Amino acid sequence: MFERLDKLPPDPILGLMAAFRADADTQKVDLGVGVYRNEHGETPVLDAVRRGEQAVLSRQKTKSYVGPAGNLEFNQAMERLTLGDDHPVLATQRVRTIQATGGCGALRLGAELLRAAAPDTIIYASTPTWANHVPLLTGAGIKLERYPYYDPETGGVQIDAMLSYLDRLPPRAVVLLHASCHNPTGADLNPAQWREVLGVVKKRELIPYIDMAYQGLGDGVVEDALAPRQFAAELPEALIAVSCSKNFGLYRERTGALHVLNPTPVTAEAVLSQLVRIARTIYSMPPDHGAAIVQAILADAALTASWRSELDEMRNRINTLRRETVAQLAKACPQRDFSFIERQRGMFSYLGVTSEQVKKLRTQQHIYMMDDSRVNIAGLRSETIPYFAKAVAQVL
Ligand SMILES: Cc1ncc(COP(=O)(O)O)c(C=O)c1O
């Protein structure tokens, strides 16, 4: 049986990680893998997470199953985190949430739900989008197409092209939107542009599928959730996939959720029953630990405050690095404008160099980034930025 299978090429990011590990140079810089790093280059366990985890372990009396929808208190806490404590839709019984194995698991559950509702659904994603969106969504048997998004000339969003593309879509076309910290470009919609997108979504009766993997890492917990909050207030239907990997630093605990907004409570019950069925047919039940930690944090005012201040620190660090990078690049390469990096948000930006130059940066300067020039800004440190900027100047 298995002799029929071909060996697949390794994921490009794994190759990049291996090459970085094998590089003996002491100045090497890893801007590849998409995890947050502090000023020591580490991805530490947050203090609030450690304390939440201790609370979970001391309270836990059983390892019995939690159920296919996961930890219901976690699900409710995530609804309030995503939508805000007093969001009017929370009182209407129209939102249903299922715990998921990270943002990836949430994205896949949503795609499976769409297929169950309408197998011929097409999801429209930005050009470019996070590479994993493609297998996660098409793996559920859903077709994926692209709308124009990133403008390499400005480092911003081609809003007119995006809006006019969306304005031609048929009703019930699903539009995948990054709530904030667009991966891989860092180019986000501003509040006025979100309004315009919401206008077209309403007019064409489109269904937004919002991927929020970086709440709190762009401009703030409230600011980054503008789209889910505004869309949920004004639309009958929406899907929102959320992840606790980055903002709680819970990557390996696989913690996330899918919120589905429905036109009525009756539909909401049907949707939840379908989500539970989908979970049962794939993995039965999600892991408990990460969700229990998040729930312990969000149920305790002191722990929540401590988490929020650690999250503020991560966000401020990223935005400071963005400023410092632009300043150093302006010094090292005055002929080229890199100011877009400071206008962008989240961990990622396209540096905007060719794949040849990316290769040179790797082999000659020991700086590792994705072939498409996506850099993880959080992989930089104040001390390495001047080296990085000079290295870029050398390959331009
Ligand atoms: C755009 C986007 N969506 C979703 C995710 C989900 O990540 P996870 O499954 O680790 O929570 C990520 C993580 O890198 C992401 O960048």
Side-chain angles (χ1 to χ4, degrees), residues 103-182:
C104 289
L107 285 162
R108 181 55 172 264
L109 285 173
E112 297 282 352
L113 181 73
L114 289 166
R115 192 179 55 142
D120 56 351
T121 295
I122 300 177
I123 299 180
Y124 294 82
S126 59
T127 311
T129 196
W130 181 42
N132 278 3
H133 277 147
V134 180
L136 281 171
L137 301 171
T138 61
I142 297 269
K143 229 173 125 192
L144 196 71
E145 292 193 10
R146 300 306 188 101
Y147 59 81
Y149 186 79
Y150 184 63
D151 183 352
E153 293 298 312
T154 64
V157 179
Q158 296 181 46
I159 186 69
D160 292 338
M162 175 182 177
L163 290 171
S164 69
Y165 187 98
L166 298 184
D167 204 11
R168 291 194 299 271
L169 295 181
R172 285 194 295 280
V174 176
V175 187
L176 183 67
L177 299 157
H178 300 226
S180 69
C181 309
H182 186 273

Side-chain angles (χ1 to χ4, degrees), residues 34-35 101-107 129-133 136 178 180-184 211-214 241-246 250-252 254-256 347-348 374:
V35 296
T101 51
C104 289
L107 285 162
T129 196
W130 181 42
N132 278 3
H133 277 147
L136 281 171
H178 300 226
S180 69
C181 309
H182 186 273
N183 184 358
D211 181 3
M212 183 156 69
Y214 299 92
V242 297
S243 164
C244 303
S245 299
K246 312 286 155 83
L250 278 169
Y251 308 85
R252 66 171 65 170
R254 312 308 301 132
T255 310
M347 302 208 305
F348 306 113
R374 188 194 82 166

Side-chain angles (χ1 to χ4, degrees), residues 205-282:
E205 297 178 26
L206 310 178
I207 297 173
Y209 193 164
I210 300 176
D211 181 3
M212 183 156 69
Y214 299 92
Q215 185 179 8
L217 287 166
D219 286 313
V221 165
V222 173
E223 293 83 347
D224 294 350
L226 174 86
R229 292 177 185 196
Q230 205 167 55
F231 282 42
E234 298 190 27
L235 295 172
E237 292 182 324
L239 298 101
I240 308 165
V242 297
S243 164
C244 303
S245 299
K246 312 286 155 83
N247 54 2
F248 285 87
L250 278 169
Y251 308 85
R252 66 171 65 170
E253 300 294 354
R254 312 308 301 132
T255 310
L258 177 74
H259 310 296
V260 183
L261 174 71
N262 303 277
T264 67
V266 174
T267 308
E269 278 305 298
V271 158
L272 181 62
S273 74
Q274 292 283 342
L275 287 170
V276 162
R277 172 193 62 78
I278 292 163
R280 238 193 278 111
T281 58
I282 308 176

